Amino acid sequence: MEELLSLLRTYYNDNPDELILSPWSLGYSNGDIPPHWKITYELLSKISRDSRIIEVGCGVGDITVIPCSLEFGSIVSYERSTELADAATHKISILFNRTDVVKKGSFPEGNVCLCDVLLVVNCVYTDNVKSHQDYLNNLRLLYTSAGSPTKYILEVIDSSYSVPDPEFPEYIRVSEAEIRNLFPYCKISSFVSYQYPTNRRTKKIYLIEK
Ligand SMILES: C[S@@+](CC[C@H](N)C(=O)[O-])C[C@H]1O[C@@H](n2cnc3c(N)ncnc32)[C@H](O)[C@@H]1O
């Protein structure tokens, strides 16, 4: 993990303009590593490297570098912003000499791609979501669109976060009981990635396993 973080830090020192594109990447250059990154690293490091990975919303590839550095063979990372996808492609090709990872476009829209591990971390959006039920349906749609993989690593805003927040309104906040209801036959483990008021919001990462 330390080696990869040092690689990322060096990359940002050499490419400081990327931080304008993705302000959420600042921690990688100043050493304030986001908890969701460390949790994702720990979880992925325990998974068989034969597993096919799909990542939704890779931004500039700060999470994508984890499966690349752990040498997973099959990784497809979707990013719908062309500018961010180009930056991610650049980063992954410079750091890992791989050009087969980043895919421009939204997931799942029109994409047929099956995987063993679906990664949706630091990617909470309200597009086309008008109600809490819509949001829950969306979380499940991502999963079924990826072929109902054996592992789903999903970060959500936790329902215990009760502060008014237009970016993450109440109807997209999710409880552990709801995750259990959505995936009734799965083993569910949860990890608090952020805790309000220490952090701006309370977020949880779920490992949902068949
Ligand atoms: C906050 S950024 C974080 C990027 C990355 N997960 C990370 O932690 O570094 C989330 C990204 O997800 C992208 N995104 C959101 N929903 C998406 C979808 N359904 N398909 C592809 N990209 C998506 C957005 O364009 C945005 O760049």
Side-chain angles (χ1 to χ4, degrees):
M1 184 189 289
E2 290 313 317
E3 210 174 301
L4 177 58
L5 285 171
S6 152
L7 206 61
L8 256 187
R9 198 158 37 245
T10 306
Y11 181 86
Y12 278 111
N13 287 340
D14 295 345
N15 299 271
D17 286 355
E18 209 166 283
L19 292 171
I20 300 165
L21 273 182
S22 67
W24 58 81
S25 301
L26 190 63
Y28 302 105
S29 76
N30 68 17
D32 186 14
I33 308 308
H36 66 258
W37 193 95
K38 290 186 182 168
I39 294 169
T40 305
Y41 190 102
E42 294 289 350
L43 292 175
L44 285 178
S45 64
K46 293 178 191 137
I47 293 175
S48 158
R49 305 303 194 260
D50 296 339
S51 307
R52 297 160 301 168
I53 296 192
I54 289 181
E55 179 190 9
V56 178
C58 74
V60 296
D62 292 325
I63 296 289
T64 319
V65 298
I66 300 173
C68 290
S69 110
L70 292 171
E71 299 184 346
F72 282 84
S74 169
I75 311 165
V76 183
S77 293
Y78 288 90
E79 174 49 56
R80 63 189 178 188
S81 149
T82 300
E83 216 180 1
L84 298 182
D86 286 343
T89 302
H90 180 254
K91 180 181 285 147
I92 300 303
S93 86
I94 296 286
L95 297 181
F96 300 99
N97 197 24
R98 287 181 71 160
T99 51
D100 61 334
V101 170
V102 180
K103 212 168 175 122
K104 281 181 203 172
S106 283
F107 185 86
E109 267 165 40
N111 294 297
V112 180
C113 193
L114 304 182
C115 68
D116 306 300
V117 180
L118 176 64
L119 202 50
V120 187
V121 172
N122 189 21
C123 184
V124 173
Y125 286 83
T126 55
D127 331 18
N128 305 320
V129 172
K130 294 191 179 63
S131 67
H132 187 57
Q133 193 55 49
D134 275 357
Y135 189 69
L136 295 178
N137 292 346
N138 234 18
L139 298 180
R140 179 117 193 130
L141 178 70
L142 290 173
Y143 175 74
T144 52
S145 301
S148 304
T150 35
K151 294 189 188 350
Y152 186 9
I153 300 176
L154 170 69
E155 189 175 38
V156 295
I157 309 289
D158 192 64
S159 58
S160 65
Y161 174 58
S162 57
V163 176
D165 181 342
E167 195 185 344
F168 297 120
E170 270 180 52
Y171 67 89
I172 64 157
R173 303 176 195 177
V174 179
S175 71
E176 186 148 345
E178 287 171 317
I179 295 289
R180 289 183 188 280
N181 275 343
L182 270 185
F183 302 97
Y185 301 109
C186 293
K187 177 182 168 203
I188 312 278
S189 318
S190 66
F191 309 85
V192 176
S193 45
Y194 297 87
Q195 181 80 64
Y196 181 85
T198 306
N199 306 109
R200 281 175 69 199
R201 288 143 186 147
T202 303
K203 296 186 183 182
K204 264 189 195 171
I205 293 182
Y206 288 94
L207 171 62
I208 300 158
E209 297 174 278
K210 264 192 196 163

